[in-house]
Amino acid sequence: MPEANTPILVHIGSIREESLRILQTAALPAFIATLENESGKIETLKNNVPRLFVAKHPITSQGDDAVLHEYSLSEFNSLAPVSGLKKLYPGLVEKQHRTVETHTLEAALKAHKLNAAPIAQLIIEQLESAQALLETLEAQGQLHSLTKLWVRTSPESLYAGMPTQSELITICEQLGFEIVDTQADDPDFVLVELKRNPLYSEYKKLQEKAAKLAQREKEQTASNEKAQAEIAQLKQAHEKLTQQHTEQNKALERAQHDAAECQKQNEQLKKARDENAAAKEKAQAEATQLKQEREKLTKQQETLRDQLREQRQSNQTLEAEMQATQERQNKLAIELERAEAQLDLIKDLLLKDKLLQR
């Protein structure tokens, strides 16, 4: 088992002569995943490769079940039906197709405890899956440690969905690689060798910087939207408080008007009470006078007594009305104090709101 930081070589697909030579001379621990029985070549590699690991299942970008197409020439076995390959090999026959379990490269390496090992070199001989594998591995960051890359391709699309050689090279260039050489024992099956573009590291740094800036811009936009929402809420609260303040002012004006009316009524009642008191004194004086003249003015005295009783009843009625008016005035005074307290509270809230808006 290699150390966790020991670089490894990963080979995916058929072991053709060119890739066999690369595996034998790379002097790296190698991980191999093929679509056909390569027992003879694997035995050869065991004698020439420092450490060799063989996957139990084919490698795909998704790692789910796939259809394996097996042909009369096993080196052309694939996970997609042939298209242009039939023109090159008219006699090629599909023997059978069956559903097979596949793994992602990450899961396959983890099964051999190689998931922490950096991939220094990568050979992809699985033509129909090359593009999907490269794009997935790049997205997962598994291509970042690569120093060399070999990809089997062809000038024509040989399998359904397979990019042509020029299309695949363009994809590799977009992923930060440039062509070093091509090996073409068979011109229809070219093994393209690529290496990291010297500007790749700077490009990745700029890409990461751009991603961070985009994230910061996104966060700033979200922050601005949140601030706008809070401002809108504060504006609504301000409008609500302003409305409450207006209503409280109206209520205060009504209360002040009612208080003035009560004061006026109180003054009128006081005046009436004073008048009644004067009348009472006058009546008492007359009663004294009538008492002195009682014997002479008995009939008049009885009349005056009746008047006095009526006057007393009137006084009682007036006193009851004055008491009720006083109680009402007290209640209005309490309501006035409450209204003034609410007005002071609203003024404080409005002042705080203005301070927050600054």
Side-chain angles (χ1 to χ4, degrees):
M1 189 67 61
E3 297 294 332
N5 58 353
T6 301
I8 62 172
L9 185 156
V10 173
H11 179 283
I12 300 173
S14 299
I15 305 176
R16 296 183 173 87
E17 291 303 320
E18 300 97 329
S19 56
L20 180 62
R21 288 194 295 269
I22 295 170
L23 285 164
Q24 290 175 322
T25 57
L28 288 174
F31 177 84
I32 297 174
T34 66
L35 295 179
E36 75 267 12
N37 185 356
E38 300 274 9
S39 57
K41 293 178 181 179
I42 289 174
E43 288 300 322
T44 300
L45 288 172
K46 285 182 178 178
N47 297 324
N48 295 279
V49 176
R51 291 177 184 145
L52 186 67
F53 303 89
V54 181
K56 294 182 180 180
H57 302 282
I59 301 299
T60 61
S61 60
Q62 299 298 324
D64 49 10
D65 288 348
V67 177
L68 174 62
H69 300 266
E70 296 180 321
Y71 297 97
S72 51
L73 292 175
S74 62
E75 65 181 285
F76 296 131
N77 289 356
S78 65
L79 297 175
V82 297
S83 55
L85 189 63
K86 291 286 287 184
K87 296 179 182 179
L88 297 177
Y89 295 88
L92 187 68
V93 177
E94 183 175 1
K95 296 165 56 179
Q96 66 172 346
H97 60 268
R98 56 190 173 89
T99 301
V100 295
E101 179 183 353
T102 73
H103 285 177
T104 62
L105 178 59
E106 182 180 19
L109 291 174
K110 187 175 182 181
H112 290 272
K113 298 182 180 180
L114 296 172
N115 50 302
I119 303 173
Q121 300 181 17
L122 173 63
I123 305 171
I124 300 180
E125 291 270 13
Q126 209 161 289
L127 286 75
E128 75 284 2
S129 305
Q131 179 180 354
L133 285 170
L134 285 171
E135 291 175 346
T136 300
L137 295 177
E138 171 66 17
Q140 295 173 347
Q142 292 179 281
L143 298 185
H144 296 176
S145 58
L146 275 187
T147 57
K148 290 185 179 182
L149 170 66
W150 290 267
V151 184
R152 182 72 65 178
T153 183
S154 175
E156 303 295 331
S157 179
L158 306 180
Y159 297 92
M162 169 188 162
T164 63
Q165 179 178 331
S166 61
E167 291 171 341
L168 188 61
I169 290 174
T170 299
I171 292 170
C172 291
E173 289 174 346
Q174 292 172 349
L175 296 177
F177 295 92
E178 60 182 7
I179 294 180
V180 176
D181 191 13
T182 58
Q183 301 180 40
D185 292 351
D186 184 343
D188 295 315
F189 291 90
V190 181
L191 186 64
V192 180
E193 180 181 353
L194 305 106
K195 68 176 182 179
R196 275 294 180 197
N197 189 307
L199 299 177
Y200 176 76
S201 297
E202 291 299 322
Y203 167 76
K204 290 302 292 183
K205 289 179 182 178
L206 289 174
Q207 193 177 45
E208 291 174 0
K209 185 177 180 180
K212 289 180 180 179
L213 288 174
Q215 180 63 27
R216 286 176 60 185
E217 182 178 359
K218 183 179 179 181
E219 291 173 354
Q220 185 62 43
T221 301
S223 178
N224 290 340
E225 291 176 352
K226 183 179 179 181
Q228 290 294 332
E230 291 176 350
I231 289 172
Q233 290 178 351
L234 288 172
K235 185 177 180 181
Q236 291 177 355
H238 175 71
E239 292 174 352
K240 185 177 180 180
L241 287 172
T242 301
Q243 184 179 0
Q244 290 178 350
H245 176 66
T246 302
E247 293 174 353
Q248 291 292 341
N249 280 338
K250 291 180 180 178
L252 179 60
E253 290 175 358
R254 289 194 298 268
Q256 290 174 339
H257 179 268
D258 292 343
E261 289 293 323
C262 288
Q263 182 67 27
K264 185 177 179 180
Q265 292 177 7
N266 187 44
E267 290 174 355
Q268 291 175 349
L269 289 172
K270 184 178 179 182
K271 182 178 179 181
R273 184 179 61 183
D274 291 342
E275 291 175 352
N276 288 334
K280 183 178 179 181
E281 291 177 358
K282 183 178 179 181
Q284 288 176 346
E286 291 176 351
T288 301
Q289 185 178 0
L290 289 172
K291 185 176 179 182
Q292 293 173 354
E293 297 177 354
R294 181 174 46 187
E295 293 178 357
K296 294 180 179 181
L297 302 172
T298 301
K299 191 177 289 187
Q300 294 179 3
Q301 185 180 29
E302 291 297 330
T303 302
L304 288 173
R305 285 178 179 175
D306 291 340
Q307 291 178 352
L308 181 61
R309 282 196 297 273
E310 292 175 358
Q311 189 63 46
R312 285 177 178 173
Q313 290 177 355
S314 177
N315 288 342
Q316 291 175 355
T317 302
L318 287 173
E319 288 179 357
E321 290 179 355
M322 286 182 62
Q323 184 176 359
T325 300
Q326 185 64 41
E327 290 176 357
R328 184 180 177 187
Q329 184 178 7
N330 292 339
K331 289 181 180 180
L332 287 172
I334 293 172
E335 290 180 1
L336 181 61
E337 290 178 359
R338 289 178 180 173
E340 289 175 346
Q342 290 180 355
L343 181 59
D344 291 338
L345 177 60
I346 290 170
K347 288 180 179 178
D348 291 341
L349 290 175
L350 288 174
L351 179 59
K352 291 180 181 178
D353 185 52
K354 290 180 180 178
L355 292 174
L356 287 175
Q357 289 180 352
R358 292 178 184 175

